[in-house]
Amino acid sequence: MKKKSIVIVDDHLLFAQSLESLITKLEEYEVLAILKNGKELTQYYMHKRKVPDLILLDVKMPVMDGIQTMQWLKENRPEQKVLALTMEDDEDTIIKMLRNGAKGYLLKDIHPENFEFAMKMVIEQGFYYSGKIENALRNSENVDDSGDFHERLTEKERGFLKHACSELTYRDIAEEMGLSPKTIENYREAVFKKLEVKTRVGLVIYCMKNKLIKID
């Protein structure tokens, strides 16, 4: 059986080595390398080493962090599958990672069984919806995929939806649309209710999943 290959990019050596030990105990996987930051990953590619089936990428790292690394991969290795593995769970960070091509994200305190499942999902199906995202999307699974649900949004709400899937803050969105922050808050609540999501991250994933918004 051909093993699926993994590269770990994390500056916390003890954690990375523990992760390697966990992965090597799984018969289906092998770890090709442990790298300390995105710069080392770019050098890994420059030396034409084996392209991994999956990269496990930390977000907070010196020299070249996770977001910078995803931007480089998006430009140079867009086909590379990446799963963010981090302690950072704020919406802005997650959205930036997703917009730059990460196929999912995990918090480092994830249960080993869920971790294995996440790797399998990204490698085989191209994306992993974490518990946080699954909760946000749970009620959307029964929505008709024809796109009729999108028609329930007003023109202004669709405009808000497009901006909400960007890296703009809500205040920036208000300025961009020439509206008050209170009006943007009302649009947010209306869109969340109509699409049955609970967070901005859930909204971004929902739009990616249903191809409502092209994530550049």
Side-chain angles (χ1 to χ4, degrees), residues 56-89:
L56 298 174
L57 180 65
D58 192 13
V59 175
K60 294 290 187 180
M61 298 180 293
V63 183
M64 188 172 177
D65 66 20
I67 294 172
Q68 293 170 324
T69 303
M70 285 308 310
Q71 291 170 341
W72 185 90
L73 288 169
K74 182 179 179 181
E75 182 71 24
N76 296 278
R77 299 277 179 166
E79 73 287 349
Q80 178 66 67
K81 293 177 179 177
V82 179
L83 184 57
L85 185 59
T86 178
M87 293 302 295
E88 306 299 318
D89 65 348

PDB file of all heavy atoms in Angstrom, residues 56-89:
ATOM      1  N   LEU A  56       0.752  20.093   6.720  1.00  0.00           N
ATOM      2  CA  LEU A  56       0.151  20.536   7.975  1.00  0.00           C
ATOM      3  C   LEU A  56       0.868  21.811   8.365  1.00  0.00           C
ATOM      4  O   LEU A  56       2.067  21.799   8.659  1.00  0.00           O
ATOM      5  CB  LEU A  56       0.311  19.460   9.049  1.00  0.00           C
ATOM      6  CG  LEU A  56      -0.384  18.126   8.746  1.00  0.00           C
ATOM      7  CD1 LEU A  56      -0.026  17.092   9.809  1.00  0.00           C
ATOM      8  CD2 LEU A  56      -1.897  18.296   8.658  1.00  0.00           C
ATOM      9  N   LEU A  57       0.154  22.919   8.355  1.00  0.00           N
ATOM     10  CA  LEU A  57       0.787  24.238   8.449  1.00  0.00           C
ATOM     11  C   LEU A  57       0.340  25.015   9.676  1.00  0.00           C
ATOM     12  O   LEU A  57      -0.860  25.273   9.860  1.00  0.00           O
ATOM     13  CB  LEU A  57       0.449  25.036   7.184  1.00  0.00           C
ATOM     14  CG  LEU A  57       1.010  26.447   7.065  1.00  0.00           C
ATOM     15  CD1 LEU A  57       2.540  26.425   6.987  1.00  0.00           C
ATOM     16  CD2 LEU A  57       0.436  27.133   5.822  1.00  0.00           C
ATOM     17  N   ASP A  58       1.305  25.419  10.489  1.00  0.00           N
ATOM     18  CA  ASP A  58       1.025  26.305  11.610  1.00  0.00           C
ATOM     19  C   ASP A  58       0.783  27.711  11.077  1.00  0.00           C
ATOM     20  O   ASP A  58       1.152  28.031   9.938  1.00  0.00           O
ATOM     21  CB  ASP A  58       2.214  26.292  12.581  1.00  0.00           C
ATOM     22  CG  ASP A  58       1.888  26.960  13.915  1.00  0.00           C
ATOM     23  OD1 ASP A  58       0.704  27.215  14.181  1.00  0.00           O
ATOM     24  OD2 ASP A  58       2.836  27.218  14.686  1.00  0.00           O
ATOM     25  N   VAL A  59       0.170  28.571  11.864  1.00  0.00           N
ATOM     26  CA  VAL A  59      -0.105  29.944  11.434  1.00  0.00           C
ATOM     27  C   VAL A  59       0.922  30.910  11.999  1.00  0.00           C
ATOM     28  O   VAL A  59       1.549  31.683  11.267  1.00  0.00           O
ATOM     29  CB  VAL A  59      -1.529  30.374  11.845  1.00  0.00           C
ATOM     30  CG1 VAL A  59      -1.759  31.842  11.499  1.00  0.00           C
ATOM     31  CG2 VAL A  59      -2.566  29.501  11.150  1.00  0.00           C
ATOM     32  N   LYS A  60       1.121  30.888  13.309  1.00  0.00           N
ATOM     33  CA  LYS A  60       2.060  31.798  13.957  1.00  0.00           C
ATOM     34  C   LYS A  60       3.472  31.213  13.924  1.00  0.00           C
ATOM     35  O   LYS A  60       3.791  30.281  14.662  1.00  0.00           O
ATOM     36  CB  LYS A  60       1.634  32.051  15.410  1.00  0.00           C
ATOM     37  CG  LYS A  60       0.324  32.811  15.553  1.00  0.00           C
ATOM     38  CD  LYS A  60       0.462  34.255  15.118  1.00  0.00           C
ATOM     39  CE  LYS A  60      -0.801  35.049  15.428  1.00  0.00           C
ATOM     40  NZ  LYS A  60      -0.702  36.454  15.013  1.00  0.00           N
ATOM     41  N   MET A  61       4.310  31.732  13.038  1.00  0.00           N
ATOM     42  CA  MET A  61       5.692  31.274  12.917  1.00  0.00           C
ATOM     43  C   MET A  61       6.596  32.457  12.597  1.00  0.00           C
ATOM     44  O   MET A  61       6.150  33.421  11.971  1.00  0.00           O
ATOM     45  CB  MET A  61       5.822  30.235  11.793  1.00  0.00           C
ATOM     46  CG  MET A  61       5.036  28.965  11.982  1.00  0.00           C
ATOM     47  SD  MET A  61       5.260  27.811  10.584  1.00  0.00           S
ATOM     48  CE  MET A  61       4.459  28.740   9.253  1.00  0.00           C
ATOM     49  N   PRO A  62       7.866  32.402  12.999  1.00  0.00           N
ATOM     50  CA  PRO A  62       8.807  33.466  12.643  1.00  0.00           C
ATOM     51  C   PRO A  62       9.239  33.337  11.185  1.00  0.00           C
ATOM     52  O   PRO A  62       8.982  32.325  10.547  1.00  0.00           O
ATOM     53  CB  PRO A  62       9.978  33.203  13.593  1.00  0.00           C
ATOM     54  CG  PRO A  62       9.943  31.716  13.804  1.00  0.00           C
ATOM     55  CD  PRO A  62       8.474  31.363  13.840  1.00  0.00           C
ATOM     56  N   VAL A  63       9.880  34.382  10.681  1.00  0.00           N
ATOM     57  CA  VAL A  63      10.469  34.428   9.334  1.00  0.00           C
ATOM     58  C   VAL A  63       9.389  34.502   8.252  1.00  0.00           C
ATOM     59  O   VAL A  63       9.318  35.451   7.470  1.00  0.00           O
ATOM     60  CB  VAL A  63      11.416  33.236   9.056  1.00  0.00           C
ATOM     61  CG1 VAL A  63      12.059  33.394   7.670  1.00  0.00           C
ATOM     62  CG2 VAL A  63      12.478  33.118  10.140  1.00  0.00           C
ATOM     63  N   MET A  64       8.536  33.472   8.174  1.00  0.00           N
ATOM     64  CA  MET A  64       7.474  33.424   7.169  1.00  0.00           C
ATOM     65  C   MET A  64       6.313  32.655   7.779  1.00  0.00           C
ATOM     66  O   MET A  64       6.367  31.433   7.930  1.00  0.00           O
ATOM     67  CB  MET A  64       7.985  32.748   5.897  1.00  0.00           C
ATOM     68  CG  MET A  64       7.043  32.800   4.710  1.00  0.00           C
ATOM     69  SD  MET A  64       7.880  32.162   3.231  1.00  0.00           S
ATOM     70  CE  MET A  64       6.551  32.247   2.029  1.00  0.00           C
ATOM     71  N   ASP A  65       5.255  33.377   8.150  1.00  0.00           N
ATOM     72  CA  ASP A  65       4.160  32.749   8.895  1.00  0.00           C
ATOM     73  C   ASP A  65       3.197  31.987   7.984  1.00  0.00           C
ATOM     74  O   ASP A  65       3.405  31.898   6.760  1.00  0.00           O
ATOM     75  CB  ASP A  65       3.420  33.778   9.747  1.00  0.00           C
ATOM     76  CG  ASP A  65       2.689  34.835   8.913  1.00  0.00           C
ATOM     77  OD1 ASP A  65       2.420  34.601   7.721  1.00  0.00           O
ATOM     78  OD2 ASP A  65       2.371  35.900   9.475  1.00  0.00           O
ATOM     79  N   GLY A  66       2.130  31.446   8.564  1.00  0.00           N
ATOM     80  CA  GLY A  66       1.204  30.625   7.803  1.00  0.00           C
ATOM     81  C   GLY A  66       0.493  31.370   6.695  1.00  0.00           C
ATOM     82  O   GLY A  66       0.329  30.844   5.589  1.00  0.00           O
ATOM     83  N   ILE A  67       0.055  32.585   6.956  1.00  0.00           N
ATOM     84  CA  ILE A  67      -0.646  33.361   5.936  1.00  0.00           C
ATOM     85  C   ILE A  67       0.293  33.700   4.780  1.00  0.00           C
ATOM     86  O   ILE A  67      -0.066  33.554   3.609  1.00  0.00           O
ATOM     87  CB  ILE A  67      -1.247  34.642   6.545  1.00  0.00           C
ATOM     88  CG1 ILE A  67      -2.359  34.271   7.541  1.00  0.00           C
ATOM     89  CG2 ILE A  67      -1.803  35.555   5.453  1.00  0.00           C
ATOM     90  CD1 ILE A  67      -2.900  35.439   8.335  1.00  0.00           C
ATOM     91  N   GLN A  68       1.512  34.129   5.086  1.00  0.00           N
ATOM     92  CA  GLN A  68       2.500  34.410   4.047  1.00  0.00           C
ATOM     93  C   GLN A  68       2.830  33.148   3.252  1.00  0.00           C
ATOM     94  O   GLN A  68       3.004  33.196   2.028  1.00  0.00           O
ATOM     95  CB  GLN A  68       3.771  34.979   4.681  1.00  0.00           C
ATOM     96  CG  GLN A  68       3.581  36.357   5.296  1.00  0.00           C
ATOM     97  CD  GLN A  68       4.786  36.778   6.127  1.00  0.00           C
ATOM     98  OE1 GLN A  68       5.417  35.966   6.795  1.00  0.00           O
ATOM     99  NE2 GLN A  68       5.105  38.064   6.083  1.00  0.00           N
ATOM    100  N   THR A  69       2.899  32.034   3.947  1.00  0.00           N
ATOM    101  CA  THR A  69       3.185  30.764   3.276  1.00  0.00           C
ATOM    102  C   THR A  69       2.057  30.379   2.335  1.00  0.00           C
ATOM    103  O   THR A  69       2.288  29.936   1.203  1.00  0.00           O
ATOM    104  CB  THR A  69       3.395  29.643   4.313  1.00  0.00           C
ATOM    105  OG1 THR A  69       4.456  30.011   5.195  1.00  0.00           O
ATOM    106  CG2 THR A  69       3.740  28.327   3.631  1.00  0.00           C
ATOM    107  N   MET A  70       0.809  30.563   2.780  1.00  0.00           N
ATOM    108  CA  MET A  70      -0.324  30.255   1.921  1.00  0.00           C
ATOM    109  C   MET A  70      -0.347  31.169   0.695  1.00  0.00           C
ATOM    110  O   MET A  70      -0.703  30.730  -0.407  1.00  0.00           O
ATOM    111  CB  MET A  70      -1.636  30.411   2.705  1.00  0.00           C
ATOM    112  CG  MET A  70      -1.939  29.288   3.688  1.00  0.00           C
ATOM    113  SD  MET A  70      -1.859  27.620   2.994  1.00  0.00           S
ATOM    114  CE  MET A  70      -2.883  27.776   1.529  1.00  0.00           C
ATOM    115  N   GLN A  71       0.033  32.421   0.867  1.00  0.00           N
ATOM    116  CA  GLN A  71       0.090  33.340  -0.269  1.00  0.00           C
ATOM    117  C   GLN A  71       1.122  32.877  -1.282  1.00  0.00           C
ATOM    118  O   GLN A  71       0.897  32.939  -2.495  1.00  0.00           O
ATOM    119  CB  GLN A  71       0.403  34.756   0.233  1.00  0.00           C
ATOM    120  CG  GLN A  71      -0.739  35.380   1.021  1.00  0.00           C
ATOM    121  CD  GLN A  71      -0.352  36.667   1.726  1.00  0.00           C
ATOM    122  OE1 GLN A  71       0.835  36.950   1.940  1.00  0.00           O
ATOM    123  NE2 GLN A  71      -1.338  37.455   2.116  1.00  0.00           N
ATOM    124  N   TRP A  72       2.272  32.391  -0.788  1.00  0.00           N
ATOM    125  CA  TRP A  72       3.318  31.872  -1.679  1.00  0.00           C
ATOM    126  C   TRP A  72       2.835  30.612  -2.389  1.00  0.00           C
ATOM    127  O   TRP A  72       3.036  30.445  -3.598  1.00  0.00           O
ATOM    128  CB  TRP A  72       4.591  31.569  -0.878  1.00  0.00           C
ATOM    129  CG  TRP A  72       5.740  31.156  -1.750  1.00  0.00           C
ATOM    130  CD1 TRP A  72       6.678  31.967  -2.316  1.00  0.00           C
ATOM    131  CD2 TRP A  72       6.062  29.809  -2.168  1.00  0.00           C
ATOM    132  NE1 TRP A  72       7.563  31.222  -3.056  1.00  0.00           N
ATOM    133  CE2 TRP A  72       7.211  29.897  -2.989  1.00  0.00           C
ATOM    134  CE3 TRP A  72       5.498  28.557  -1.926  1.00  0.00           C
ATOM    135  CZ2 TRP A  72       7.802  28.773  -3.565  1.00  0.00           C
ATOM    136  CZ3 TRP A  72       6.068  27.439  -2.505  1.00  0.00           C
ATOM    137  CH2 TRP A  72       7.214  27.540  -3.319  1.00  0.00           C
ATOM    138  N   LEU A  73       2.197  29.727  -1.657  1.00  0.00           N
ATOM    139  CA  LEU A  73       1.695  28.484  -2.252  1.00  0.00           C
ATOM    140  C   LEU A  73       0.620  28.777  -3.294  1.00  0.00           C
ATOM    141  O   LEU A  73       0.574  28.137  -4.351  1.00  0.00           O
ATOM    142  CB  LEU A  73       1.133  27.566  -1.165  1.00  0.00           C
ATOM    143  CG  LEU A  73       2.158  26.893  -0.248  1.00  0.00           C
ATOM    144  CD1 LEU A  73       1.457  26.234   0.937  1.00  0.00           C
ATOM    145  CD2 LEU A  73       2.984  25.861  -1.017  1.00  0.00           C
ATOM    146  N   LYS A  74      -0.237  29.731  -3.002  1.00  0.00           N
ATOM    147  CA  LYS A  74      -1.302  30.102  -3.941  1.00  0.00           C
ATOM    148  C   LYS A  74      -0.713  30.567  -5.265  1.00  0.00           C
ATOM    149  O   LYS A  74      -1.249  30.277  -6.340  1.00  0.00           O
ATOM    150  CB  LYS A  74      -2.163  31.207  -3.326  1.00  0.00           C
ATOM    151  CG  LYS A  74      -3.342  31.647  -4.183  1.00  0.00           C
ATOM    152  CD  LYS A  74      -4.133  32.730  -3.465  1.00  0.00           C
ATOM    153  CE  LYS A  74      -5.300  33.213  -4.313  1.00  0.00           C
ATOM    154  NZ  LYS A  74      -6.054  34.292  -3.630  1.00  0.00           N
ATOM    155  N   GLU A  75       0.404  31.269  -5.186  1.00  0.00           N
ATOM    156  CA  GLU A  75       1.066  31.804  -6.372  1.00  0.00           C
ATOM    157  C   GLU A  75       1.918  30.757  -7.086  1.00  0.00           C
ATOM    158  O   GLU A  75       1.970  30.729  -8.328  1.00  0.00           O
ATOM    159  CB  GLU A  75       1.952  32.987  -5.970  1.00  0.00           C
ATOM    160  CG  GLU A  75       2.661  33.675  -7.125  1.00  0.00           C
ATOM    161  CD  GLU A  75       1.720  34.475  -8.008  1.00  0.00           C
ATOM    162  OE1 GLU A  75       0.650  34.873  -7.524  1.00  0.00           O
ATOM    163  OE2 GLU A  75       2.071  34.690  -9.186  1.00  0.00           O
ATOM    164  N   ASN A  76       2.570  29.884  -6.305  1.00  0.00           N
ATOM    165  CA  ASN A  76       3.561  28.986  -6.883  1.00  0.00           C
ATOM    166  C   ASN A  76       3.167  27.507  -6.900  1.00  0.00           C
ATOM    167  O   ASN A  76       3.634  26.757  -7.758  1.00  0.00           O
ATOM    168  CB  ASN A  76       4.884  29.128  -6.109  1.00  0.00           C
ATOM    169  CG  ASN A  76       5.483  30.501  -6.234  1.00  0.00           C
ATOM    170  OD1 ASN A  76       6.153  30.824  -7.209  1.00  0.00           O
ATOM    171  ND2 ASN A  76       5.237  31.349  -5.236  1.00  0.00           N
ATOM    172  N   ARG A  77       2.338  27.084  -5.968  1.00  0.00           N
ATOM    173  CA  ARG A  77       1.920  25.687  -5.887  1.00  0.00           C
ATOM    174  C   ARG A  77       0.423  25.614  -5.562  1.00  0.00           C
ATOM    175  O   ARG A  77       0.028  25.060  -4.528  1.00  0.00           O
ATOM    176  CB  ARG A  77       2.708  24.954  -4.797  1.00  0.00           C
ATOM    177  CG  ARG A  77       4.206  24.918  -5.039  1.00  0.00           C
ATOM    178  CD  ARG A  77       4.566  23.782  -5.973  1.00  0.00           C
ATOM    179  NE  ARG A  77       5.992  23.739  -6.249  1.00  0.00           N
ATOM    180  CZ  ARG A  77       6.613  22.706  -6.807  1.00  0.00           C
ATOM    181  NH1 ARG A  77       5.920  21.625  -7.117  1.00  0.00           N
ATOM    182  NH2 ARG A  77       7.918  22.753  -7.053  1.00  0.00           N
ATOM    183  N   PRO A  78      -0.414  26.149  -6.435  1.00  0.00           N
ATOM    184  CA  PRO A  78      -1.849  26.237  -6.126  1.00  0.00           C
ATOM    185  C   PRO A  78      -2.528  24.883  -5.956  1.00  0.00           C
ATOM    186  O   PRO A  78      -3.590  24.794  -5.335  1.00  0.00           O
ATOM    187  CB  PRO A  78      -2.421  26.992  -7.330  1.00  0.00           C
ATOM    188  CG  PRO A  78      -1.439  26.742  -8.432  1.00  0.00           C
ATOM    189  CD  PRO A  78      -0.099  26.704  -7.758  1.00  0.00           C
ATOM    190  N   GLU A  79      -1.926  23.823  -6.486  1.00  0.00           N
ATOM    191  CA  GLU A  79      -2.535  22.495  -6.374  1.00  0.00           C
ATOM    192  C   GLU A  79      -2.224  21.814  -5.046  1.00  0.00           C
ATOM    193  O   GLU A  79      -2.820  20.781  -4.704  1.00  0.00           O
ATOM    194  CB  GLU A  79      -2.039  21.603  -7.525  1.00  0.00           C
ATOM    195  CG  GLU A  79      -0.604  21.132  -7.409  1.00  0.00           C
ATOM    196  CD  GLU A  79       0.448  22.200  -7.677  1.00  0.00           C
ATOM    197  OE1 GLU A  79       0.095  23.292  -8.162  1.00  0.00           O
ATOM    198  OE2 GLU A  79       1.640  21.934  -7.415  1.00  0.00           O
ATOM    199  N   GLN A  80      -1.297  22.393  -4.264  1.00  0.00           N
ATOM    200  CA  GLN A  80      -0.885  21.779  -3.012  1.00  0.00           C
ATOM    201  C   GLN A  80      -2.002  21.830  -1.968  1.00  0.00           C
ATOM    202  O   GLN A  80      -2.554  22.887  -1.682  1.00  0.00           O
ATOM    203  CB  GLN A  80       0.356  22.476  -2.457  1.00  0.00           C
ATOM    204  CG  GLN A  80       0.840  21.931  -1.126  1.00  0.00           C
ATOM    205  CD  GLN A  80       1.343  20.508  -1.217  1.00  0.00           C
ATOM    206  OE1 GLN A  80       2.363  20.250  -1.846  1.00  0.00           O
ATOM    207  NE2 GLN A  80       0.635  19.579  -0.586  1.00  0.00           N
ATOM    208  N   LYS A  81      -2.325  20.695  -1.374  1.00  0.00           N
ATOM    209  CA  LYS A  81      -3.345  20.640  -0.333  1.00  0.00           C
ATOM    210  C   LYS A  81      -2.721  20.964   1.021  1.00  0.00           C
ATOM    211  O   LYS A  81      -1.681  20.401   1.373  1.00  0.00           O
ATOM    212  CB  LYS A  81      -3.996  19.259  -0.299  1.00  0.00           C
ATOM    213  CG  LYS A  81      -4.819  18.967  -1.552  1.00  0.00           C
ATOM    214  CD  LYS A  81      -5.400  17.567  -1.526  1.00  0.00           C
ATOM    215  CE  LYS A  81      -6.227  17.314  -2.781  1.00  0.00           C
ATOM    216  NZ  LYS A  81      -6.760  15.929  -2.821  1.00  0.00           N
ATOM    217  N   VAL A  82      -3.364  21.874   1.735  1.00  0.00           N
ATOM    218  CA  VAL A  82      -2.846  22.349   3.021  1.00  0.00           C
ATOM    219  C   VAL A  82      -3.951  22.317   4.065  1.00  0.00           C
ATOM    220  O   VAL A  82      -5.086  22.736   3.801  1.00  0.00           O
ATOM    221  CB  VAL A  82      -2.298  23.783   2.906  1.00  0.00           C
ATOM    222  CG1 VAL A  82      -1.779  24.268   4.262  1.00  0.00           C
ATOM    223  CG2 VAL A  82      -1.203  23.869   1.853  1.00  0.00           C
ATOM    224  N   LEU A  83      -3.591  21.843   5.233  1.00  0.00           N
ATOM    225  CA  LEU A  83      -4.499  21.846   6.375  1.00  0.00           C
ATOM    226  C   LEU A  83      -3.850  22.670   7.473  1.00  0.00           C
ATOM    227  O   LEU A  83      -2.753  22.350   7.936  1.00  0.00           O
ATOM    228  CB  LEU A  83      -4.744  20.419   6.852  1.00  0.00           C
ATOM    229  CG  LEU A  83      -5.750  20.173   7.980  1.00  0.00           C
ATOM    230  CD1 LEU A  83      -7.119  20.727   7.620  1.00  0.00           C
ATOM    231  CD2 LEU A  83      -5.847  18.679   8.275  1.00  0.00           C
ATOM    232  N   ALA A  84      -4.488  23.775   7.846  1.00  0.00           N
ATOM    233  CA  ALA A  84      -3.947  24.625   8.905  1.00  0.00           C
ATOM    234  C   ALA A  84      -4.112  23.924  10.250  1.00  0.00           C
ATOM    235  O   ALA A  84      -5.187  23.419  10.561  1.00  0.00           O
ATOM    236  CB  ALA A  84      -4.652  25.973   8.911  1.00  0.00           C
ATOM    237  N   LEU A  85      -3.047  23.905  11.030  1.00  0.00           N
ATOM    238  CA  LEU A  85      -3.067  23.274  12.349  1.00  0.00           C
ATOM    239  C   LEU A  85      -2.487  24.290  13.323  1.00  0.00           C
ATOM    240  O   LEU A  85      -1.289  24.560  13.317  1.00  0.00           O
ATOM    241  CB  LEU A  85      -2.224  21.993  12.331  1.00  0.00           C
ATOM    242  CG  LEU A  85      -2.228  21.138  13.595  1.00  0.00           C
ATOM    243  CD1 LEU A  85      -3.633  20.688  13.938  1.00  0.00           C
ATOM    244  CD2 LEU A  85      -1.324  19.932  13.423  1.00  0.00           C
ATOM    245  N   THR A  86      -3.341  24.881  14.146  1.00  0.00           N
ATOM    246  CA  THR A  86      -2.938  26.078  14.867  1.00  0.00           C
ATOM    247  C   THR A  86      -3.685  26.237  16.185  1.00  0.00           C
ATOM    248  O   THR A  86      -4.649  25.526  16.461  1.00  0.00           O
ATOM    249  CB  THR A  86      -3.194  27.309  13.969  1.00  0.00           C
ATOM    250  OG1 THR A  86      -2.846  28.495  14.657  1.00  0.00           O
ATOM    251  CG2 THR A  86      -4.661  27.379  13.570  1.00  0.00           C
ATOM    252  N   MET A  87      -3.237  27.208  16.976  1.00  0.00           N
ATOM    253  CA  MET A  87      -3.958  27.611  18.175  1.00  0.00           C
ATOM    254  C   MET A  87      -4.794  28.851  17.895  1.00  0.00           C
ATOM    255  O   MET A  87      -5.572  29.292  18.739  1.00  0.00           O
ATOM    256  CB  MET A  87      -2.977  27.899  19.318  1.00  0.00           C
ATOM    257  CG  MET A  87      -2.236  26.665  19.816  1.00  0.00           C
ATOM    258  SD  MET A  87      -3.330  25.353  20.406  1.00  0.00           S
ATOM    259  CE  MET A  87      -4.075  26.164  21.828  1.00  0.00           C
ATOM    260  N   GLU A  88      -4.637  29.437  16.715  1.00  0.00           N
ATOM    261  CA  GLU A  88      -5.335  30.662  16.358  1.00  0.00           C
ATOM    262  C   GLU A  88      -6.737  30.327  15.851  1.00  0.00           C
ATOM    263  O   GLU A  88      -6.884  29.617  14.863  1.00  0.00           O
ATOM    264  CB  GLU A  88      -4.569  31.416  15.270  1.00  0.00           C
ATOM    265  CG  GLU A  88      -3.114  31.695  15.611  1.00  0.00           C
ATOM    266  CD  GLU A  88      -2.976  32.552  16.854  1.00  0.00           C
ATOM    267  OE1 GLU A  88      -3.746  33.518  16.989  1.00  0.00           O
ATOM    268  OE2 GLU A  88      -2.097  32.241  17.674  1.00  0.00           O
ATOM    269  N   ASP A  89      -7.779  30.848  16.524  1.00  0.00           N
ATOM    270  CA  ASP A  89      -9.132  30.546  16.069  1.00  0.00           C
ATOM    271  C   ASP A  89      -9.968  31.805  15.827  1.00  0.00           C
ATOM    272  O   ASP A  89     -11.200  31.740  15.788  1.00  0.00           O
ATOM    273  CB  ASP A  89      -9.843  29.631  17.058  1.00  0.00           C
ATOM    274  CG  ASP A  89     -10.072  30.291  18.421  1.00  0.00           C
ATOM    275  OD1 ASP A  89      -9.475  31.356  18.658  1.00  0.00           O
ATOM    276  OD2 ASP A  89     -10.834  29.740  19.230  1.00  0.00           O
TER     277      ASP A  89
END
